[in-house]
Amino acid sequence: MRLAWAICAGLLLGIGVAWWLSREAPGKTEARQRRAEQAAAAQARDARPSLYRWRDDAGVLQITDKPPPDRPFQRIDREPDRAIKVKGDSAD
């Protein structure tokens, strides 16, 4: 009978330790939520069409849809044209 109680106590203790070690700390959950919100905001920002303004070697102003790899540029965010009706858009 003592052996059965010892086995039950060992199992309960093992389950308790496993649960304790597998749970997340409260701060970790909040940090993960913050990272998810930041990623969603960055994705929404990147989903908007953008243009890039920069100057070439001759000093001529260039405006392109891709940033230059080797020189400073300014990002110009544009709003999509709202005159175009998108299927499922309920802006009526």
Side-chain angles (χ1 to χ4, degrees), residues 4-18:
W5 284 109
I7 291 173
C8 287
L11 285 173
L12 288 175
L13 181 63
I15 291 170
V17 168

Side-chain angles (χ1 to χ4, degrees), residues 9-91:
L11 285 173
L12 288 175
L13 181 63
I15 291 170
V17 168
W19 171 80
W20 183 264
L21 294 176
S22 67
R23 68 181 182 85
E24 285 190 12
K28 237 181 188 180
T29 304
E30 293 169 3
R32 185 173 18 151
Q33 179 68 27
R34 255 192 323 273
R35 284 193 310 267
E37 289 170 357
Q38 290 171 351
Q43 186 178 18
R45 182 187 68 234
D46 291 340
R48 292 189 314 200
S50 296
L51 293 176
Y52 300 91
R53 181 179 4 200
W54 51 281
R55 296 206 178 262
D56 63 10
D57 292 334
V60 177
L61 179 67
Q62 302 289 328
I63 298 177
T64 59
D65 61 344
K66 294 182 181 159
D70 59 346
R71 58 185 73 244
F73 61 88
Q74 179 183 11
R75 181 178 177 163
I76 305 168
D77 288 328
R78 307 182 291 150
E79 290 298 322
D81 189 4
R82 290 292 166 194
I84 298 173
K85 185 94 171 163
V86 179
K87 183 177 179 180
D89 189 11
S90 61

